């Protein structure tokens, strides 16, 4: 009997069919615009290597233990995030609410993520026609503004992306998500290496590497730690049921800590490679490294336009970003789709269409944040920034904190150990003990301090 038949036979659900497939899908969720858009722009505007150092610490101490816990809880129950937490809750305790907050966070992220992904897809075509390639940052900036402030284009590209991802989702876990991410991940690595090679061979490239790898610890402030923690949550797709949902499709024989460790490491390498692809080129052509989010759509096209064979590499770069965003969006879609299928008894097609329609509806105000809704401000933020803020800085850290408390104090050490040693089959007790210590005491404390700091309690 194949692994897939074993899985299906036991639970009647579709599931990942191979170890490599589980790795590719999980990595596909972690890797995304976060590596190519958020990581370089945040590193660029927060002091380079010192930010990288804090981000690394947050990833290892907080990110990895939460990712492992989420996958473990999902695999134990083999259900969507809401059902998983409801089933594991002791009588009368409302832990299912953490799953609900996860589904809400998935929608919030999808609302702005599909918009940025839409710009990326648009830039592939605009790059091919050469219309966004100019060495003058002012012209590049005007080209980007004309895309995001045109309601038809902004909505059109967002819908294009939503339909594209929905089609893959309807094929299911093994034939859709697993198959696609197994093909996309090697392509992503290859494209990134080609662009790194181009960037590193430009005269003056060393300055970019120096910027990325020489730490200046005086730059570490409270707000830098807050941002690094938020980025770690966003990057690793944790605190909102995504990893729990993917964990529910894991095989019982999979070594969860090892898979999660590999995902975190590979994700980090991809972020660093993205930094190596971007910073040397930005320095070589004398552009501003702290351009923030516009780095991707204004600075990068201008940098590429300045170099030999620039159009080719610019198109390659945006194909890379589109590939990365696809794996992440698949995992975001899967959170509500799994819930609608299992708890609301919808067919996969109906669940996907419902999710897609909701994202189109709720995402429209975010897509129009630079045009029709640009003057609507809630807490001083446009819809686009509000959705980003609420998901990355509120839902994900709060969800992460509650998952730590649930795992450490409710689920408990014995079950944690049994699940992660695959009931004694894997000899990794020392690692599991340290992980449990982190998840019970260290990670929740750190997340709580950072959140209280954000709420200006200190
Ligand atoms: N990790 C993705 C990225 O770095 O782009 C974004 C993301 C995907 C966040 C899935 C949350 C999530 F559930």
């Amino acid at each position: 009997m194949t692994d897939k038949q074993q899985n299906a036979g036991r639970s009647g659900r579709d599931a990942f069919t191979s170890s490599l497939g589980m790795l590719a899908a999980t990595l596909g969720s972690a890797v995304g615009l976060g590596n190519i858009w958020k990581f370089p722009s945040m590193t660029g505007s927060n002091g380079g290597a010192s930010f990288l150092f804090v981000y690394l610490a947050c990833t290892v101490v907080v990110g990895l233990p939460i990712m492992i816990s989420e996958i473990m809880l999902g695999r134990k129950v083999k259900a969507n995030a809401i059902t998983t937490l409801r089933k594991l809750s002791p009588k009368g305790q409302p832990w299912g609410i953490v799953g609900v907050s996860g589904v809400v966070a998935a929608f919030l992220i999808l609302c702005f993520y599909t918009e940025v992904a839409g710009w990326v897809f648009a830039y592939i075509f605009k790059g091919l026609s050469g219309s966004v390639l100019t060495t003058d940052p002012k012209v590049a900036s005007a080209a980007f503004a004309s895309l995001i402030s045109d309601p038809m284009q902004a909505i059109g590209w967002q819908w294009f992306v939503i339909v594209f991802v929905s089609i893959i989702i309807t094929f299911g876990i093994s034939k859709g998500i697993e198959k696609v991410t197994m093909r996309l991940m090697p392509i992503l690595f290859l494209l990134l290496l080609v662009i790194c090679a181009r960037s590193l061979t430009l005269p003056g490239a060393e300055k970019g590497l120096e910027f990325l790898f020489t730490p200046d610890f005086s730059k570490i402030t409270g707000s830098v730690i807050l941002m690094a923690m938020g980025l770690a949550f966003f990057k690793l797709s944790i605190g909102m049921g995504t990893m729990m949902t993917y964990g529910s499709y894991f095989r019982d024989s999979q070594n969860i800590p090892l898979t999660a460790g590999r995902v975190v490491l590979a994700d980090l390498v991809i972020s660093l490679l993205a930094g190596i692809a971007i910073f040397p080129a930005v320095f070589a052509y004398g552009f501003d490294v702290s351009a923030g989010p516009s780095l991707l759509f204004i600075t990068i096209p201008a940098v590429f336009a300045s170099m030999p064979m620039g159009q080719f590499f610019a198109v390659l770069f945006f194909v890379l970003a589109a590939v990365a965003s696809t794996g992440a969006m698949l995992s975001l879609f899967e959170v509500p789709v799994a819930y609608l299928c299992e708890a609301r008894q919808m067919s996969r097609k109906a669940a996907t269409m419902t999710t897609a329609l909701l994202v189109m509806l709720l995402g429209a105000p975010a897509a129009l944040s630079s045009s029709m809704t640009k003057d609507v401000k809630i807490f001083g933020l446009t819809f686009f920034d509000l959705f980003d803020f609420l998901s990355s800085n509120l839902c994900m850290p709060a969800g992460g904190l509650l998952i730590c408390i649930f795992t450490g104090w409710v689920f408990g050490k014995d079950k944690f150990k049994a699940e992660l040693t695959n009931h004694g089959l894997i000899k990794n007790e020392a690692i599991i003990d340290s992980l449990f210590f982190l998840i019970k005491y260290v990670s929740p404390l750190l997340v709580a301090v950072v959140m209280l700091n954000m709420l200006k309690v200190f």
Side-chain angles (χ1 to χ4, degrees):
M1 212 195 275
T2 65
D3 284 322
K4 185 180 177 201
Q5 284 162 335
Q6 266 177 19
N7 261 332
R10 195 190 54 246
S11 62
R13 299 168 86 224
D14 194 3
F16 297 128
T17 59
S18 67
S19 188
L20 207 61
M22 280 172 254
L23 186 70
T26 315
L27 184 61
S29 169
V31 170
L33 294 171
N35 306 64
I36 292 163
W37 172 53
K38 279 201 172 199
F39 175 84
S41 63
M42 284 176 112
T43 310
S45 35
N46 290 294
S50 51
F51 179 81
L52 188 61
F53 180 83
V54 182
Y55 169 70
L56 258 176
C58 293
T59 298
V60 175
V61 179
V62 179
L64 184 64
I66 297 181
M67 183 191 260
I68 291 173
S69 303
E70 278 197 38
I71 297 177
M72 173 202 72
L73 297 172
R75 186 180 71 173
K76 169 115 186 105
V77 180
K78 298 202 168 38
N80 64 85
I82 298 180
T83 309
T84 293
L85 285 158
R86 276 193 187 143
K87 281 201 173 161
L88 292 174
S89 296
K91 252 206 164 72
Q93 292 187 17
W95 289 98
I97 202 107
V98 181
V100 176
S101 133
V103 175
V104 172
F107 273 114
L108 288 175
I109 297 178
L110 276 168
C111 287
F112 71 89
Y113 205 89
T114 48
E115 181 56 21
V116 184
W119 300 339
V120 167
F121 278 79
Y123 263 61
I124 297 177
F125 295 96
K126 290 178 188 285
L128 280 171
S129 72
S131 65
V132 288
L133 289 180
T134 160
T135 50
D136 183 346
K138 278 205 193 94
V139 182
S141 173
F144 181 52
S146 81
L147 167 68
I148 63 173
S149 59
D150 174 356
M152 289 303 279
Q153 285 202 66
I155 294 265
W157 283 108
Q158 185 181 39
W159 286 13
F160 170 82
V161 165
I162 294 171
V163 171
F164 170 67
V165 174
S166 301
I167 293 172
I168 304 174
I169 284 287
T170 53
F171 282 94
I173 308 304
S174 50
K175 294 206 185 82
I177 295 176
E178 182 173 6
K179 232 185 193 158
V180 169
T181 49
M182 275 179 84
R183 297 213 164 96
L184 291 185
M185 286 301 111
I187 298 177
L188 184 131
F189 255 114
L190 208 76
L191 288 177
L192 202 47
L193 288 178
V194 172
I195 299 170
C196 279
R198 168 71 274 189
S199 183
L200 285 174
T201 47
L202 292 169
E206 356 35 90
K207 275 211 193 108
L209 290 183
E210 221 175 270
F211 173 75
L212 194 59
F213 292 112
T214 318
D216 172 1
F217 291 104
S218 66
K219 293 240 164 79
I220 300 178
T221 61
S223 78
V224 166
I225 297 176
L226 176 68
M227 271 190 278
M229 173 91 76
L231 180 65
F233 272 89
F234 186 83
K235 277 294 329 94
L236 300 179
S237 318
I238 53 172
M240 46 159 296
T242 304
M243 287 299 160
M244 218 177 274
T245 308
Y246 269 16
S248 75
Y249 304 126
F250 268 48
R251 292 182 307 189
D252 286 336
S253 57
Q254 190 73 2
N255 185 336
I256 295 176
L258 187 66
T259 307
R262 284 180 174 154
V263 167
V264 168
L265 193 70
D267 177 65
L268 201 65
V269 169
I270 292 174
S271 287
L272 288 175
L273 285 175
I276 293 172
I278 291 171
F279 291 123
V282 172
F283 271 97
Y285 290 101
F287 286 103
D288 178 16
V289 281
S290 54
S294 59
L295 186 74
L296 188 58
F297 299 101
I298 297 172
T299 313
I300 295 290
V303 167
F304 279 117
S306 313
M307 63 174 70
M309 288 177 68
Q311 185 173 10
F312 172 75
F313 283 101
V315 172
L316 221 57
F317 182 86
F318 285 105
V319 170
L320 164 80
V323 166
S325 68
T326 302
M329 287 187 290
L330 287 173
S331 70
L332 282 163
F333 257 76
E334 190 55 31
V335 177
V337 167
Y339 169 72
L340 291 174
C341 286
E342 291 167 8
R344 305 271 152 197
Q345 278 87 39
M346 280 190 188
S347 70
R348 198 163 169 88
K349 246 193 200 138
T352 309
M353 274 170 65
T354 309
T355 306
L357 284 175
L358 276 172
V359 176
M360 283 175 177
L361 219 71
L362 296 170
L368 299 174
S369 281
S370 302
S371 53
M372 290 156 91
T373 62
K374 76 169 185 286
D375 295 325
V376 185
K377 300 266 165 73
I378 301 167
F379 304 122
L381 299 171
T382 61
F383 282 107
F384 184 98
D385 292 333
L386 182 74
F387 292 156
D388 186 4
F389 179 84
L390 285 178
S391 52
S392 296
N393 295 343
L394 209 70
C395 291
M396 295 175 97
L401 176 62
L402 291 171
I403 286 164
C404 291
I405 297 172
F406 180 79
T407 310
W409 300 84
V410 179
F411 193 71
K413 188 163 184 183
D414 292 343
K415 285 194 234 159
F416 184 83
K417 220 169 180 170
E419 286 303 317
L420 293 178
T421 57
N422 291 356
H423 300 276
L425 290 177
I426 311 171
K427 298 282 162 244
N428 55 359
E429 263 112 10
I431 296 176
I432 305 299
D433 284 340
S434 330
L435 275 172
F436 192 75
F437 180 75
L438 287 176
I439 204 82
K440 186 165 183 176
Y441 302 106
V442 185
S443 322
L445 201 72
L446 278 177
V447 180
V449 168
V450 171
M451 282 193 76
L452 290 175
N453 189 18
M454 181 188 73
L455 298 172
K456 307 226 180 323
V457 175
F458 299 133

